[in-house]
Amino acid sequence: MMSVKCSRCNRPAFYYRPYSGEYLCKKCFPITIKEKVRKTISKYKMLEYGDKIGVAVSGGKDSLSLLKILTEISKGKGSEVIAITIDEGIKGYRDEALKLVRKVSKKLNVRYTVYSFKDLFGYTMDELVKIKSNISACAICGVFRRRALDIAAMEEGVTVLATAHNLDDTIQTFFINLFNVDLKRISWISPISKPSNLFKIRRIHPMIELYEKEIALYAYLEGMPLQSTTCPYMEEGIRSEIRSYLNSMEDRHPGIKYNIYYAALRIAERLKSEVKAVRCKLCGFPSINEVCQVCQLRSTITKIKSF
Ligand SMILES: [Zn+2]
Ligand SMILES: [Zn+2]
């Protein structure tokens, strides 16, 4: 690609974007990523003037990039950005991530706050994985992490909660739910969840229309620190098979991931009318069953522990 020039300026290109046919240089590429996020935000009306924006930041490249982009985009719009990190209590892994969040937040001049599983639920993940149950560590962690974020967002008084889901995560999740015949979870797929009586904070996914690969490249070009450790409890299961299948499809048919994404959104939209959220009768948080997943998990853990 030595002699090819950037489609936007005259500098030498370093990246070819198959789905759009563009050649991009190192200067223009990050600009296109920011533009895409800005477009997604305006397309789905994700942000309003004066918003207090909570950004869920795990310390991974996606969420650190989201924090940077949202901080830049919201400047001069009367908005405030706060980085919210959930400390699951995973020794080694989470400590490193927390350092990265602190470093990037300071550089961006953004306030950051940490909420821990231990404080909120009484157990760290390191303790929870020792309790033998038939529920996977990732499932337990996911349920508690979503709830921890909701609690943090409420306590911080944010008007909107942004998470760094990308296009790849979203369509992988769509297939996983499809294979599990889990129509309720398919109905949740959406770039934005408007506030309701049950949960008054807008939830948004401003990077939902970006490829994971391109976010990684953005993070690299912008000098984002990279985490060296991976989660010790990660079990990929079927997700890694779906990921490699979708990647090979995309190589042969550039843009096909976008088609799958739009199909998933339409299917989710149709299913939404069939799934009604209620208030959990134990904790009052929104739930699709009488008792929410968090309360179900807590009672399972208590039962196992008391034996
Ligand atoms: Zn250029
Ligand atoms: Zn509950």
Side-chain angles (χ1 to χ4, degrees):
M1 214 184 277
M2 288 290 279
S3 59
V4 182
K5 292 213 159 97
C6 173
S7 313
R8 298 191 158 208
C9 69
N10 262 332
R11 292 187 197 92
F14 90 110
Y15 179 72
Y16 173 63
R17 184 174 274 162
Y19 62 89
S20 71
E22 284 171 293
Y23 288 93
L24 294 161
C25 72
K26 285 181 183 165
K27 266 236 149 80
C28 292
F29 178 82
I31 298 172
T32 65
I33 296 299
K34 224 169 121 178
E35 277 174 6
K36 182 78 185 175
V37 172
R38 203 185 295 243
K39 260 188 210 156
T40 306
I41 288 173
S42 77
K43 180 158 85 176
Y44 299 105
K45 298 187 173 63
M46 290 181 173
L47 293 178
E48 291 166 12
Y49 190 91
D51 261 333
K52 189 168 177 182
I53 310 164
V55 185
V57 186
S58 66
K61 58 179 174 22
D62 291 14
S63 62
L64 291 175
S65 300
L66 178 65
L67 182 66
K68 180 174 162 62
I69 294 173
L70 283 183
T71 304
E72 290 168 1
I73 284 179
S74 61
K75 260 198 191 112
K77 302 228 167 68
S79 303
E80 183 194 348
V81 173
I82 307 168
I84 300 174
T85 301
I86 304 305
D87 179 1
E88 301 95 345
I90 303 171
K91 245 195 156 23
Y93 169 69
R94 184 46 75 201
D95 316 333
E96 189 200 11
L98 282 173
K99 266 189 211 145
L100 300 185
V101 177
R102 216 171 293 146
K103 193 173 149 194
V104 173
S105 300
K106 276 203 177 127
K107 208 170 156 196
L108 294 170
N109 202 15
V110 162
R111 187 163 74 80
Y112 70 90
T113 171
V114 181
Y115 286 74
S116 73
F117 275 18
K118 183 81 182 172
D119 289 345
L120 295 172
F121 310 114
Y123 304 99
T124 62
M125 256 329 268
D126 287 334
E127 288 164 349
L128 285 168
V129 291
K130 289 198 191 96
I131 304 169
K132 290 274 164 264
S133 73
N134 51 5
I135 310 156
S136 79
C138 288
I140 294 173
C141 192
V143 168
F144 282 141
R145 192 168 351 94
R146 270 193 300 275
R147 174 62 53 87
L149 271 175
D150 285 355
I151 294 171
M154 282 161 45
E155 288 198 2
E156 295 299 324
V158 305
T159 53
V160 53
L161 178 61
T163 43
H165 294 86
N166 59 47
L167 184 77
D168 292 82
D169 300 330
T170 306
I171 59 176
Q172 286 158 19
T173 302
F174 169 68
F175 277 107
I176 292 170
N177 292 330
L178 190 68
F179 296 155
N180 286 333
V181 203
D182 193 338
L183 301 188
K184 281 180 183 173
R185 280 199 172 70
I186 289 178
S187 80
W188 292 350
I189 298 172
S190 175
I192 177 167
S193 310
K194 302 223 166 80
S196 70
N197 285 339
L198 295 171
F199 192 70
K200 298 198 163 32
I201 299 166
R202 214 177 322 133
R203 291 174 212 267
I204 59 167
H205 311 309
M207 300 208 297
I208 199 169
E209 299 190 353
L210 281 174
Y211 286 111
E212 185 176 12
K213 192 175 95 178
E214 295 202 341
I215 300 172
L217 194 52
Y218 170 88
Y220 167 74
L221 290 174
E222 295 291 299
M224 287 289 173
L226 270 189
Q227 197 167 357
S228 61
T229 48
T230 51
C231 180
Y233 307 127
M234 188 171 74
E235 324 141 32
E236 280 265 282
I238 202 169
R239 187 178 285 273
S240 62
E241 287 175 54
I242 294 171
R243 177 188 296 122
S244 59
Y245 170 70
L246 291 173
N247 284 344
S248 71
M249 286 293 280
E250 180 71 24
D251 285 343
R252 277 175 281 128
H253 314 279
I256 202 164
K257 284 183 184 173
Y258 274 115
N259 291 2
I260 298 168
Y261 164 72
Y262 286 118
L265 287 194
R266 286 197 192 173
I267 293 168
E269 203 51 52
R270 299 254 174 121
L271 290 173
K272 253 180 203 105
S273 54
E274 292 176 24
V275 182
K276 208 172 151 24
V278 293
R279 219 175 260 290
C280 167
K281 66 174 186 187
L282 296 178
C283 70
F285 273 85
S287 170
I288 42 178
N289 299 308
E290 250 196 353
V291 174
C292 76
Q293 280 187 303
V294 173
C295 291
Q296 284 178 31
L297 255 180
R298 290 184 110 164
S299 81
T300 309
I301 292 163
T302 315
K303 261 183 226 148
I304 296 172
K305 283 207 78 133
S306 62
F307 269 108

